[in-house]
Amino acid sequence: MSRDHVEGAVTALGTAHDADAPFLELLARGAAAEAYDRPVLLARAEGGPGERIAALEHAKLLALRVRSELEGRRRREAELSALFETAHDLAGLRDVDAVLQAIVQRARSLLGTDIAYLSLNDPDKGDTYMRVTEGSVAARFQQLRLGMGEGLGGLVAQTARPYVTDDYFRDDRFRHTATIDAGVRDEGLVAILGVPLMLGPSVIGVLFAADRRARVFEREQIALLGSFAALAAAAIDTANLLTETRSALAGLERANEIIRDRSAVIERASDIHDRLAELVLRGGGVHDVAAAVSEVLDGTVEFTEGAPPDALEASRADGHAVRHRDDWIAAVAAGEELLGALVLRGYPALDPVDQRTLERAAMVTSLLLLARRSAAEAEQRVRGELLDDLLEARDRDPRLLRERAARLHADLDATHVVLAARLDAAAPDVDADQAAAARRRLWSAASHLAATRHGLAAARDGGTVLLLPLERGDTATELARRTALHLGTAVHEAVTVGASAPVRGLTAGPDAVVAAYEEGRRCLDALRLLGRSGDGAAAEDFGFLGLLLAGERDVAGFVDRTIGRVVAYDERRGTDLLRTLDAYFASGMSPARTKDELHVHVNTVAQRLDRVGRLLGDDWQSPARALEVQLALRLHRLAAPAPH
């Protein structure tokens, strides 16, 4: 081969590589088809050699073919992805409308049309109706109902084959009607493609894709729309099977009922059923139920305990929601017990299915209330059992008692007051059942108060006993009065409460709770004997009167409360404060005569009496306190062992 031939071949090869480069770059960045003419035009403008221009033309054609092939693959990939997603939606079908809407949206997007829509046959009315539209702007078009065999859809349904028209109004292959043409004209449609929805050999509807300009639909696009139509038919068939299954189950549950509702109504009822079941499972409350029903019924639903009595009783007796003026009332009941009502406000006309929805919501509400009550009663029993153990099982392990109390958020090492609460004596005309019900209400109210105050409560001796912590700065008397007021308000009856003195270390001293309870009961008895029913008081409020009025005489407790600090001071310091007090009262509360009785200086008497005042309080010489102190001194002497 000559040198010239070799150089020519090398030049041609270089030219071919140079021609490919710009088009590879265009392919790499996904340029538009028009951009592929620029390298050729540029070479011609620069006066390039003919071989280069020819090579560029050839490379352009190859690049456009590659671009077309890539676009086709991307399009097919997108189509397959959309079909796969639609099939996935169908496999997890929950809402047929959502699946059909997704099918129509994807068909419009992949075919690049202005509008896509789906019509279904209505066997009951003998026509077809628009089920789903996407991209439609005309209300009349969206509400079209077509007679069988009318329009392009009628032709598709009759032949069970796809049909396409490039210009709807000039196409005479199908029967035009004024109604259809008016709707198509409102929408501005020109080119329309329709494919049948097949269930077996039957056409159940038509899937359309349409443009508002003349357009030729390619074979691949017709096939793609046909695939979407097959998936839509499968979705409708699955929805029909679900509807039939739900109808069969409802028929078994309500043997005497006939399902008259359409599939959309059944889906709606199923939706609220699922939502209410979810609320129950996740521990929702009655207000969550009311909110869910409000959303479904597009109204305002409230739970109330103050519904009109006549309507409430009518709903409970009949077992159905009843209309009261512009409201609907569904009783929330457990057997014969009324717990409240669900009230649908401002909704005079209520569909029967929505009425049943309100009734089911009332039933779910009653279940939630009963579950809450059961949980509260279980906690009340646990609190009562712990308090019973503190009152009775004196040999229990203190550590275990503390652990049980901690699980109930109670601290047995804190300062507490034991309170005995009781209702007023029942009137003669109150039977035993009513009295027992009143005691249960008292126990329930006391248990609720104990739970909120981190205490304990139990039913005992015809009344209720509470163990409540005493806050810093509070007194047993004030706590007793507040408790009597709170319980009386809760049960709508007078409740009398007697309180013990503050006690500490409940687990360390096994008898501490028992003694405090007995002290509280004595205060309770004293209040009732004094005619102070409905009030609250503590042992410190009665002084020695408590000894006279109580069923059992707590002499030691009275002495300790009255002069216990003086007794303890004498025992610690070896002083004679008690003897000085005895002499002081025996001498008519005269310091001068007292010093003669004791054979000490009057200043010594004054110093001792000043010490007593600091121990007992500044008012110890008031008439009432002086009487109590004298009685306590005498009881203390009587209780002292006789000298040998």
Side-chain angles (χ1 to χ4, degrees):
M1 182 180 293
S2 67
R3 180 184 182 88
D4 291 339
H5 286 119
V6 173
E7 290 179 351
V10 171
T11 301
L13 183 60
T15 300
H17 285 298
D18 290 344
D20 292 342
F23 297 107
L24 290 174
E25 182 181 351
L26 291 172
L27 286 171
R29 59 187 175 90
E34 295 79 6
Y36 287 76
D37 289 328
R38 292 174 188 165
V40 179
L41 295 175
L42 182 62
R44 285 177 177 166
E46 292 175 350
E51 293 85 355
R52 175 169 174 74
I53 293 174
L56 286 170
E57 287 282 3
H58 180 68
K60 182 187 78 170
L61 294 176
L62 291 176
L64 287 173
R65 285 171 58 189
V66 171
R67 180 180 179 277
S68 177
E69 181 67 24
L70 290 174
E71 285 187 346
R73 291 187 178 185
R74 280 195 293 267
R75 186 173 61 254
R76 286 192 293 274
E77 182 179 332
E79 293 168 356
L80 290 173
S81 176
L83 290 172
F84 175 78
E85 290 174 0
T86 304
H88 182 269
D89 292 344
L90 181 58
L93 179 65
R94 292 294 180 271
D95 183 354
V96 66
D97 288 331
V99 175
L100 293 180
Q101 187 70 46
I103 289 173
V104 172
Q105 288 175 348
R106 290 166 185 158
R108 179 192 177 204
S109 174
L110 290 175
L111 270 67
T113 57
D114 296 324
I115 180 175
Y117 53 100
L118 185 148
S119 68
L120 292 180
N121 296 349
D122 188 340
D124 296 333
K125 296 187 177 181
D127 61 4
T128 63
Y129 64 97
M130 290 290 187
R131 178 65 180 270
V132 183
T133 63
E134 178 68 21
S136 172
V137 295
R140 179 157 53 174
F141 180 80
Q142 297 167 12
Q143 298 167 5
L144 275 178
R145 295 192 74 94
L146 318 176
M148 293 295 186
E150 296 177 352
L152 178 64
L155 182 61
V156 173
Q158 283 181 337
T159 61
R161 294 176 57 188
Y163 270 87
V164 62
T165 178
D166 300 337
D167 191 336
Y168 176 84
F169 291 102
R170 294 183 180 179
D171 198 330
D172 58 2
R173 291 177 300 166
F174 45 84
R175 180 155 57 96
H176 289 263
T177 68
T179 302
I180 300 175
D181 287 355
V184 173
R185 189 174 288 107
D186 284 355
E187 196 64 59
L189 300 181
V190 177
I192 304 176
L193 166 62
V195 295
L197 273 67
M198 306 289 298
L199 276 183
S202 303
V203 178
I204 62 169
V206 180
L207 178 60
F208 298 91
D211 261 346
R212 297 186 176 93
R213 53 184 171 77
R215 169 176 177 169
V216 176
F217 287 95
E218 299 175 358
R219 182 178 301 174
E220 292 82 359
Q221 294 173 326
I222 297 173
L224 175 61
L225 193 62
S227 298
F228 278 120
L231 289 173
I236 293 170
D237 186 38
T238 302
N240 290 338
L241 291 175
L242 286 174
T243 300
E244 292 172 3
T245 301
R246 287 172 179 155
S247 298
L249 290 174
L252 292 174
E253 294 172 357
R254 305 182 298 270
N256 61 339
E257 288 189 18
I258 301 174
I259 303 302
R260 299 183 179 91
D261 302 325
R262 296 172 298 177
S263 61
V265 177
I266 295 175
E267 289 291 339
R268 181 179 178 182
S270 175
D271 176 54
I272 187 59
H273 173 78
D274 292 343
R275 293 178 66 175
L276 292 177
E278 181 187 357
L279 280 175
V280 173
L281 292 174
R282 66 180 175 84
V286 294
H287 297 295
D288 295 324
V289 174
V293 180
S294 297
E295 183 178 345
V296 171
L297 298 184
D298 193 22
T300 301
V301 178
E302 299 174 349
F303 173 77
T304 179
E305 297 178 355
D310 293 343
L312 186 59
E313 178 58 30
S315 175
R316 185 200 64 78
D318 190 42
H320 296 289
V322 298
R323 181 178 170 181
H324 179 75
R325 297 177 183 171
D326 287 343
D327 300 337
W328 283 84
I329 296 175
V332 177
E336 297 297 320
E337 182 184 1
L338 280 171
L339 305 175
L342 284 185
V343 181
L344 176 59
R345 303 287 187 189
Y347 220 107
L350 189 63
D351 183 89
V353 174
D354 293 335
Q355 181 180 339
R356 289 197 292 275
T357 295
L358 184 64
E359 293 161 1
R360 284 196 293 270
M363 181 181 66
V364 170
T365 302
S366 68
L367 292 175
L368 290 175
L369 290 174
L370 289 175
R372 182 183 300 173
R373 177 191 291 178
S374 297
E377 289 176 351
E379 181 177 345
Q380 290 169 359
R381 285 193 296 272
V382 172
R383 290 180 182 274
E385 290 168 358
L386 177 56
L387 185 50
D388 285 337
D389 285 346
L390 288 171
L391 289 168
E392 297 173 357
R394 304 178 185 180
D395 56 347
R396 290 294 179 96
D397 185 346
R399 181 180 59 83
L400 295 179
L401 291 174
R402 287 193 188 92
E403 291 177 357
R404 289 170 59 188
R407 287 195 290 270
L408 297 170
H409 307 290
D411 180 9
L412 296 184
D413 292 322
T415 300
H416 285 75
V417 173
V418 178
L419 303 106
R422 192 175 300 167
L423 294 165
D424 272 353
D429 59 343
V430 176
D431 62 29
D433 291 339
Q434 290 176 318
R439 289 194 296 272
R440 285 194 297 271
R441 289 196 301 273
L442 174 61
W443 172 72
S444 179
S447 297
H448 178 73
L449 175 62
T452 58
R453 290 288 313 277
H454 306 297
L456 306 174
R460 201 171 188 86
D461 299 325
T464 300
V465 56
L466 299 94
L467 179 68
L468 298 180
L470 187 66
E471 302 294 337
R472 185 187 300 271
D474 201 1
T475 65
T477 299
E478 291 301 320
L479 180 59
R481 288 174 179 167
R482 288 198 308 272
T483 303
L485 178 62
H486 178 93
L487 296 180
T489 303
V491 302
H492 306 293
E493 292 187 43
V495 178
T496 308
V497 176
S500 71
V503 289
R504 301 173 182 82
L506 300 179
T507 58
D511 295 329
V513 180
V514 177
Y517 174 55
E518 293 302 327
E519 184 178 38
R521 286 185 62 193
R522 285 192 291 272
C523 290
L524 174 63
D525 293 339
L527 283 170
R528 299 178 72 177
L529 288 170
L530 290 170
R532 290 174 58 186
S533 294
D535 198 0
E540 60 193 22
D541 299 322
F542 294 104
F544 77 92
L545 289 176
L547 292 176
L548 300 177
L549 298 172
E552 297 180 11
R553 309 293 190 249
D554 183 15
V555 174
F558 172 74
V559 171
D560 183 64
R561 287 192 300 273
T562 307
I563 61 171
R565 299 186 67 183
V566 176
V567 173
Y569 190 89
D570 274 356
E571 290 176 351
R572 288 197 311 271
R573 304 293 183 89
T575 55
D576 284 328
L577 297 183
L578 285 175
R579 193 162 68 91
T580 301
L581 279 174
D582 276 331
Y584 180 66
F585 286 117
S587 303
M589 302 178 68
S590 168
R593 289 198 294 271
T594 302
K595 62 99 175 172
D596 294 335
E597 177 72 21
L598 296 175
H599 305 291
V600 296
H601 195 275
V602 70
N603 289 341
T604 302
V605 173
Q607 291 171 359
R608 291 179 181 179
L609 294 179
D610 182 64
R611 172 63 64 184
V612 169
R614 287 198 293 272
L615 292 171
L616 299 184
D618 294 336
D619 65 339
W620 73 275
Q621 296 190 70
S622 65
R625 287 291 306 280
L627 180 61
E628 292 181 0
V629 171
Q630 292 179 72
L631 179 60
L633 288 169
R634 179 162 297 188
L635 291 173
H636 182 262
R637 286 199 304 274
L638 293 174
H644 295 288

